[in-house]
Tab-separated table of all heavy atoms in Angstrom:
chain	number	residue	atom	x	y	z
A	1	ALA	N	180.921	207.322	80.693
A	1	ALA	CA	181.948	208.004	81.470
A	1	ALA	C	181.376	209.250	82.137
A	1	ALA	O	180.535	209.938	81.576
A	1	ALA	CB	183.111	208.381	80.552
A	2	LEU	N	181.846	209.499	83.343
A	2	LEU	CA	181.426	210.697	84.055
A	2	LEU	C	182.169	211.909	83.509
A	2	LEU	O	183.301	211.808	83.060
A	2	LEU	CB	181.716	210.563	85.550
A	2	LEU	CG	180.964	209.473	86.290
A	2	LEU	CD1	181.429	209.418	87.737
A	2	LEU	CD2	179.470	209.704	86.233
A	3	ARG	N	181.523	213.044	83.569
A	3	ARG	CA	182.141	214.299	83.138
A	3	ARG	C	182.443	215.136	84.372
A	3	ARG	O	181.857	216.177	84.607
A	3	ARG	CB	181.210	215.052	82.195
A	3	ARG	CG	180.932	214.303	80.901
A	3	ARG	CD	179.882	215.003	80.111
A	3	ARG	NE	178.671	215.091	80.943
A	3	ARG	CZ	177.569	215.701	80.589
A	3	ARG	NH1	177.481	216.306	79.433
A	3	ARG	NH2	176.520	215.737	81.393
A	4	GLU	N	183.380	214.637	85.166
A	4	GLU	CA	183.677	215.307	86.411
A	4	GLU	C	184.739	216.395	86.226
A	4	GLU	O	185.529	216.353	85.287
A	4	GLU	CB	184.156	214.306	87.469
A	4	GLU	CG	185.527	213.724	87.216
A	4	GLU	CD	185.535	212.487	86.342
A	4	GLU	OE1	184.516	212.116	85.757
A	4	GLU	OE2	186.605	211.889	86.240
A	5	GLN	N	184.706	217.340	87.125
A	5	GLN	CA	185.722	218.379	87.214
A	5	GLN	C	186.192	218.382	88.657
A	5	GLN	O	185.433	218.055	89.570
A	5	GLN	CB	185.151	219.754	86.849
A	5	GLN	CG	184.687	219.855	85.424
A	5	GLN	CD	184.056	221.220	85.151
A	5	GLN	OE1	183.559	221.887	86.047
A	5	GLN	NE2	184.079	221.622	83.895
A	6	TYR	N	187.443	218.766	88.863
A	6	TYR	CA	188.005	218.728	90.206
A	6	TYR	C	188.331	220.118	90.713
A	6	TYR	O	188.675	221.012	89.955
A	6	TYR	CB	189.281	217.876	90.220
A	6	TYR	CG	189.025	216.450	89.811
A	6	TYR	CD1	189.296	216.026	88.518
A	6	TYR	CD2	188.504	215.534	90.708
A	6	TYR	CE1	189.056	214.718	88.131
A	6	TYR	CE2	188.255	214.227	90.332
A	6	TYR	CZ	188.531	213.826	89.037
A	6	TYR	OH	188.286	212.539	88.666
A	7	ILE	N	188.244	220.255	92.015
A	7	ILE	CA	188.713	221.454	92.700
A	7	ILE	C	189.991	221.041	93.419
A	7	ILE	O	190.026	220.007	94.098
A	7	ILE	CB	187.661	221.980	93.696
A	7	ILE	CG1	186.403	222.396	92.925
A	7	ILE	CG2	188.238	223.124	94.521
A	7	ILE	CD1	185.262	222.831	93.801
A	8	GLU	N	191.029	221.840	93.250
A	8	GLU	CA	192.317	221.519	93.858
A	8	GLU	C	192.680	222.546	94.914
A	8	GLU	O	192.288	223.713	94.829
A	8	GLU	CB	193.407	221.492	92.780
A	8	GLU	CG	193.161	220.446	91.715
A	8	GLU	CD	194.190	220.480	90.595
A	8	GLU	OE1	194.966	221.459	90.520
A	8	GLU	OE2	194.206	219.526	89.802
A	9	ASP	N	193.457	222.081	95.905
A	9	ASP	CA	193.943	223.017	96.917
A	9	ASP	C	195.208	223.711	96.396
A	9	ASP	O	195.603	223.522	95.245
A	9	ASP	CB	194.180	222.314	98.257
A	9	ASP	CG	195.276	221.266	98.207
A	9	ASP	OD1	196.033	221.200	97.200
A	9	ASP	OD2	195.387	220.492	99.180
A	10	ASP	N	195.841	224.492	97.250
A	10	ASP	CA	197.013	225.261	96.843
A	10	ASP	C	198.190	224.382	96.404
A	10	ASP	O	199.043	224.822	95.635
A	10	ASP	CB	197.469	226.181	97.984
A	10	ASP	CG	196.441	227.261	98.272
A	10	ASP	OD1	195.641	227.577	97.361
A	10	ASP	OD2	196.436	227.785	99.397
A	11	GLN	N	198.225	223.147	96.883
A	11	GLN	CA	199.295	222.222	96.508
A	11	GLN	C	198.939	221.377	95.290
A	11	GLN	O	199.690	220.504	94.893
A	11	GLN	CB	199.652	221.291	97.682
A	11	GLN	CG	200.400	221.967	98.812
A	11	GLN	CD	199.493	222.825	99.679
A	11	GLN	OE1	198.374	222.407	99.989
A	11	GLN	NE2	199.956	223.993	100.052
A	12	GLY	N	197.796	221.627	94.700
A	12	GLY	CA	197.382	220.884	93.515
A	12	GLY	C	196.727	219.547	93.812
A	12	GLY	O	196.488	218.760	92.900
A	13	ARG	N	196.419	219.267	95.093
A	13	ARG	CA	195.735	218.015	95.448
A	13	ARG	C	194.236	218.171	95.221
A	13	ARG	O	193.654	219.204	95.575
A	13	ARG	CB	195.998	217.667	96.912
A	13	ARG	CG	197.454	217.329	97.199
A	13	ARG	CD	197.621	217.032	98.661
A	13	ARG	NE	197.302	218.258	99.405
A	13	ARG	CZ	197.861	218.616	100.536
A	13	ARG	NH1	198.761	217.845	101.091
A	13	ARG	NH2	197.517	219.741	101.146
A	14	ARG	N	193.640	217.157	94.648
A	14	ARG	CA	192.197	217.181	94.428
A	14	ARG	C	191.481	217.068	95.769
A	14	ARG	O	191.731	216.149	96.539
A	14	ARG	CB	191.779	216.037	93.515
A	14	ARG	CG	192.317	216.192	92.111
A	14	ARG	CD	191.936	214.999	91.272
A	14	ARG	NE	192.392	215.195	89.895
A	14	ARG	CZ	192.278	214.286	88.947
A	14	ARG	NH1	191.718	213.125	89.213
A	14	ARG	NH2	192.711	214.541	87.738
A	15	VAL	N	190.588	218.018	96.030
A	15	VAL	CA	189.889	218.035	97.312
A	15	VAL	C	188.373	217.945	97.159
A	15	VAL	O	187.665	217.723	98.135
A	15	VAL	CB	190.255	219.297	98.124
A	15	VAL	CG1	191.729	219.282	98.497
A	15	VAL	CG2	189.905	220.572	97.370
A	16	ALA	N	187.874	218.119	95.944
A	16	ALA	CA	186.436	218.044	95.706
A	16	ALA	C	186.201	217.737	94.232
A	16	ALA	O	187.096	217.871	93.401
A	16	ALA	CB	185.753	219.354	96.078
A	17	VAL	N	184.978	217.334	93.948
A	17	VAL	CA	184.615	217.025	92.566
A	17	VAL	C	183.308	217.723	92.223
A	17	VAL	O	182.440	217.893	93.075
A	17	VAL	CB	184.520	215.495	92.350
A	17	VAL	CG1	183.386	214.891	93.146
A	17	VAL	CG2	184.415	215.149	90.890
A	18	ILE	N	183.182	218.120	90.982
A	18	ILE	CA	181.958	218.744	90.477
A	18	ILE	C	181.411	217.830	89.387
A	18	ILE	O	182.139	217.429	88.477
A	18	ILE	CB	182.237	220.138	89.887
A	18	ILE	CG1	182.843	221.048	90.956
A	18	ILE	CG2	180.967	220.737	89.297
A	18	ILE	CD1	183.342	222.375	90.419
A	19	LEU	N	180.126	217.497	89.506
A	19	LEU	CA	179.455	216.649	88.511
A	19	LEU	C	178.210	217.357	88.006
A	19	LEU	O	177.559	218.081	88.755
A	19	LEU	CB	178.998	215.334	89.149
A	19	LEU	CG	180.042	214.355	89.606
A	19	LEU	CD1	179.388	213.219	90.371
A	19	LEU	CD2	180.816	213.809	88.426
A	20	PRO	N	177.838	217.098	86.758
A	20	PRO	CA	176.527	217.577	86.305
A	20	PRO	C	175.437	216.926	87.170
A	20	PRO	O	175.554	215.777	87.584
A	20	PRO	CB	176.445	217.090	84.857
A	20	PRO	CG	177.869	216.929	84.431
A	20	PRO	CD	178.591	216.474	85.666
A	21	ILE	N	174.390	217.661	87.455
A	21	ILE	CA	173.344	217.192	88.365
A	21	ILE	C	172.719	215.876	87.893
A	21	ILE	O	172.421	214.997	88.703
A	21	ILE	CB	172.266	218.284	88.606
A	21	ILE	CG1	171.365	217.909	89.785
A	21	ILE	CG2	171.438	218.523	87.370
A	21	ILE	CD1	172.035	218.010	91.114
A	22	ALA	N	172.551	215.699	86.596
A	22	ALA	CA	171.964	214.460	86.083
A	22	ALA	C	172.854	213.256	86.417
A	22	ALA	O	172.352	212.186	86.774
A	22	ALA	CB	171.746	214.555	84.578
A	23	GLU	N	174.153	213.433	86.317
A	23	GLU	CA	175.071	212.343	86.643
A	23	GLU	C	175.077	212.075	88.145
A	23	GLU	O	175.132	210.923	88.579
A	23	GLU	CB	176.475	212.658	86.139
A	23	GLU	CG	176.543	212.635	84.625
A	23	GLU	CD	177.921	212.960	84.082
A	23	GLU	OE1	178.920	212.850	84.829
A	23	GLU	OE2	177.999	213.320	82.897
A	24	TYR	N	175.004	213.121	88.945
A	24	TYR	CA	174.934	212.968	90.393
A	24	TYR	C	173.666	212.206	90.787
A	24	TYR	O	173.721	211.269	91.592
A	24	TYR	CB	174.965	214.351	91.053
A	24	TYR	CG	174.708	214.326	92.531
A	24	TYR	CD1	175.668	213.845	93.409
A	24	TYR	CD2	173.494	214.779	93.037
A	24	TYR	CE1	175.427	213.823	94.772
A	24	TYR	CE2	173.254	214.755	94.406
A	24	TYR	CZ	174.220	214.276	95.264
A	24	TYR	OH	173.967	214.245	96.612
A	25	GLU	N	172.535	212.584	90.216
A	25	GLU	CA	171.273	211.902	90.523
A	25	GLU	C	171.319	210.441	90.083
A	25	GLU	O	170.810	209.564	90.779
A	25	GLU	CB	170.108	212.640	89.886
A	25	GLU	CG	169.830	213.977	90.553
A	25	GLU	CD	168.817	214.833	89.815
A	25	GLU	OE1	168.502	214.549	88.638
A	25	GLU	OE2	168.347	215.817	90.431
A	26	MET	N	171.954	210.173	88.939
A	26	MET	CA	172.097	208.792	88.465
A	26	MET	C	172.942	207.985	89.459
A	26	MET	O	172.615	206.838	89.786
A	26	MET	CB	172.748	208.760	87.087
A	26	MET	CG	172.943	207.360	86.534
A	26	MET	SD	173.865	207.334	84.993
A	26	MET	CE	175.487	207.847	85.562
A	27	MET	N	173.998	208.594	89.972
A	27	MET	CA	174.838	207.908	90.952
A	27	MET	C	174.055	207.597	92.219
A	27	MET	O	174.181	206.501	92.778
A	27	MET	CB	176.068	208.757	91.286
A	27	MET	CG	177.097	208.787	90.187
A	27	MET	SD	178.502	209.868	90.557
A	27	MET	CE	179.118	209.144	92.052
A	28	LEU	N	173.237	208.539	92.673
A	28	LEU	CA	172.420	208.298	93.860
A	28	LEU	C	171.450	207.142	93.644
A	28	LEU	O	171.262	206.294	94.529
A	28	LEU	CB	171.650	209.560	94.250
A	28	LEU	CG	172.467	210.697	94.849
A	28	LEU	CD1	171.547	211.876	95.165
A	28	LEU	CD2	173.216	210.254	96.089
A	29	GLU	N	170.826	207.097	92.474
A	29	GLU	CA	169.901	206.004	92.162
A	29	GLU	C	170.621	204.661	92.179
A	29	GLU	O	170.104	203.678	92.718
A	29	GLU	CB	169.247	206.232	90.806
A	29	GLU	CG	168.227	207.344	90.790
A	29	GLU	CD	167.657	207.604	89.404
A	29	GLU	OE1	167.768	206.726	88.521
A	29	GLU	OE2	167.094	208.698	89.205
A	30	LYS	N	171.806	204.611	91.600
A	30	LYS	CA	172.590	203.366	91.577
A	30	LYS	C	172.989	202.955	92.994
A	30	LYS	O	172.942	201.773	93.336
A	30	LYS	CB	173.843	203.524	90.715
A	30	LYS	CG	173.572	203.801	89.264
A	30	LYS	CD	173.026	202.595	88.558
A	30	LYS	CE	172.871	202.891	87.074
A	30	LYS	NZ	172.178	201.840	86.376
A	31	LEU	N	173.355	203.913	93.826
A	31	LEU	CA	173.706	203.596	95.213
A	31	LEU	C	172.509	203.056	95.976
A	31	LEU	O	172.637	202.105	96.759
A	31	LEU	CB	174.265	204.837	95.911
A	31	LEU	CG	175.682	205.229	95.532
A	31	LEU	CD1	176.036	206.581	96.135
A	31	LEU	CD2	176.670	204.168	95.979
A	32	GLU	N	171.343	203.644	95.765
A	32	GLU	CA	170.122	203.151	96.415
A	32	GLU	C	169.816	201.726	95.963
A	32	GLU	O	169.437	200.872	96.777
A	32	GLU	CB	168.946	204.065	96.108
A	32	GLU	CG	168.994	205.394	96.817
A	32	GLU	CD	167.839	206.303	96.440
A	32	GLU	OE1	166.804	205.806	95.952
A	32	GLU	OE2	167.975	207.527	96.640
A	33	GLU	N	169.992	201.460	94.688
A	33	GLU	CA	169.753	200.124	94.156
A	33	GLU	C	170.725	199.122	94.777
A	33	GLU	O	170.329	198.018	95.179
A	33	GLU	CB	169.909	200.147	92.632
A	33	GLU	CG	169.494	198.879	91.950
A	33	GLU	CD	169.553	199.014	90.441
A	33	GLU	OE1	169.184	200.078	89.906
A	33	GLU	OE2	169.971	198.039	89.794
A	34	LEU	N	171.984	199.489	94.890
A	34	LEU	CA	172.967	198.605	95.515
A	34	LEU	C	172.643	198.358	96.981
A	34	LEU	O	172.813	197.240	97.480
A	34	LEU	CB	174.374	199.193	95.369
A	34	LEU	CG	174.972	199.121	93.978
A	34	LEU	CD1	176.281	199.909	93.932
A	34	LEU	CD2	175.206	197.683	93.555
A	35	GLU	N	172.171	199.369	97.680
A	35	GLU	CA	171.785	199.203	99.079
A	35	GLU	C	170.596	198.246	99.195
A	35	GLU	O	170.572	197.397	100.089
A	35	GLU	CB	171.450	200.558	99.705
A	35	GLU	CG	170.986	200.482	101.134
A	35	GLU	CD	172.051	200.021	102.122
A	35	GLU	OE1	173.218	199.840	101.730
A	35	GLU	OE2	171.711	199.821	103.295
A	36	ASP	N	169.629	198.360	98.293
A	36	ASP	CA	168.496	197.431	98.293
A	36	ASP	C	168.966	196.002	98.084
A	36	ASP	O	168.499	195.076	98.753
A	36	ASP	CB	167.485	197.812	97.206
A	36	ASP	CG	166.753	199.100	97.504
A	36	ASP	OD1	166.796	199.562	98.665
A	36	ASP	OD2	166.132	199.659	96.568
A	37	ILE	N	169.893	195.804	97.160
A	37	ILE	CA	170.434	194.468	96.891
A	37	ILE	C	171.152	193.941	98.125
A	37	ILE	O	170.999	192.775	98.510
A	37	ILE	CB	171.360	194.498	95.661
A	37	ILE	CG1	170.539	194.773	94.405
A	37	ILE	CG2	172.151	193.195	95.534
A	37	ILE	CD1	171.367	195.108	93.178
A	38	ARG	N	171.948	194.803	98.771
A	38	ARG	CA	172.683	194.391	99.968
A	38	ARG	C	171.716	193.967	101.075
A	38	ARG	O	171.905	192.926	101.719
A	38	ARG	CB	173.575	195.528	100.463
A	38	ARG	CG	174.494	195.124	101.609
A	38	ARG	CD	175.203	196.325	102.215
A	38	ARG	NE	174.285	197.216	102.906
A	38	ARG	CZ	173.779	196.988	104.122
A	38	ARG	NH1	174.082	195.891	104.769
A	38	ARG	NH2	172.959	197.859	104.690
A	39	LEU	N	170.660	194.742	101.284
A	39	LEU	CA	169.682	194.399	102.323
A	39	LEU	C	168.937	193.115	101.985
A	39	LEU	O	168.653	192.301	102.870
A	39	LEU	CB	168.702	195.558	102.514
A	39	LEU	CG	169.295	196.811	103.152
A	39	LEU	CD1	168.289	197.953	103.110
A	39	LEU	CD2	169.755	196.539	104.570
A	40	TYR	N	168.624	192.923	100.705
A	40	TYR	CA	167.964	191.686	100.276
A	40	TYR	C	168.872	190.487	100.559
A	40	TYR	O	168.427	189.481	101.123
A	40	TYR	CB	167.619	191.762	98.788
A	40	TYR	CG	167.103	190.467	98.223
A	40	TYR	CD1	165.770	190.102	98.389
A	40	TYR	CD2	167.934	189.603	97.524
A	40	TYR	CE1	165.294	188.907	97.883
A	40	TYR	CE2	167.474	188.407	97.014
A	40	TYR	CZ	166.143	188.064	97.197
A	40	TYR	OH	165.673	186.876	96.711
A	41	ASP	N	170.133	190.608	100.177
A	41	ASP	CA	171.078	189.512	100.406
A	41	ASP	C	171.232	189.217	101.897
A	41	ASP	O	171.301	188.052	102.302
A	41	ASP	CB	172.441	189.842	99.799
A	41	ASP	CG	172.437	189.808	98.281
A	41	ASP	OD1	171.489	189.248	97.682
A	41	ASP	OD2	173.390	190.352	97.686
A	42	LYS	N	171.247	190.256	102.719
A	42	LYS	CA	171.357	190.074	104.161
A	42	LYS	C	170.140	189.341	104.705
A	42	LYS	O	170.266	188.418	105.516
A	42	LYS	CB	171.513	191.431	104.844
A	42	LYS	CG	171.698	191.354	106.331
A	42	LYS	CD	171.871	192.742	106.918
A	42	LYS	CE	171.973	192.672	108.430
A	42	LYS	NZ	172.077	194.002	109.031
A	43	ALA	N	168.955	189.743	104.252
A	43	ALA	CA	167.722	189.088	104.705
A	43	ALA	C	167.680	187.630	104.263
A	43	ALA	O	167.285	186.749	105.035
A	43	ALA	CB	166.510	189.847	104.184
A	44	LYS	N	168.095	187.360	103.042
A	44	LYS	CA	168.080	185.984	102.536
A	44	LYS	C	169.067	185.098	103.285
A	44	LYS	O	168.823	183.904	103.460
A	44	LYS	CB	168.409	185.956	101.040
A	44	LYS	CG	167.327	186.496	100.134
A	44	LYS	CD	166.121	185.598	100.097
A	44	LYS	CE	166.390	184.431	99.189
A	44	LYS	NZ	165.235	183.570	98.977
C-alpha cells in the first residue's frame, strides 16, 4: 500500500498528493516497465 498524503483546497477537495520519494521512484519504474510492454506489444 502507498503511504500517500493529500493537499486539499479551501473546499476540502484533494488537489495534490505527497508520496515518499522511494514510493514515487517505484511508481516511475513500474510506469516505464508498462510502457516497454506496450511498445513491445505494438511492435509484435
Side-chain angles (χ1 to χ4, degrees):
L2 296 176
R3 297 172 302 177
E4 70 273 9
Q5 296 177 335
Y6 299 99
I7 297 176
E8 299 176 348
D9 64 12
D10 294 337
Q11 288 76 42
R13 294 179 296 212
R14 293 177 177 176
V15 295
V17 66
I18 301 171
L19 293 172
I21 193 72
E23 291 179 20
Y24 172 73
E25 290 171 345
M26 179 186 68
M27 287 177 59
L28 288 179
E29 288 176 19
K30 297 289 184 188
L31 285 172
E32 288 177 21
E33 188 175 321
L34 287 172
E35 178 67 5
D36 291 345
I37 292 168
R38 187 189 68 78
L39 291 172
Y40 172 82
D41 289 344
K42 183 179 177 183
K44 289 291 281 186

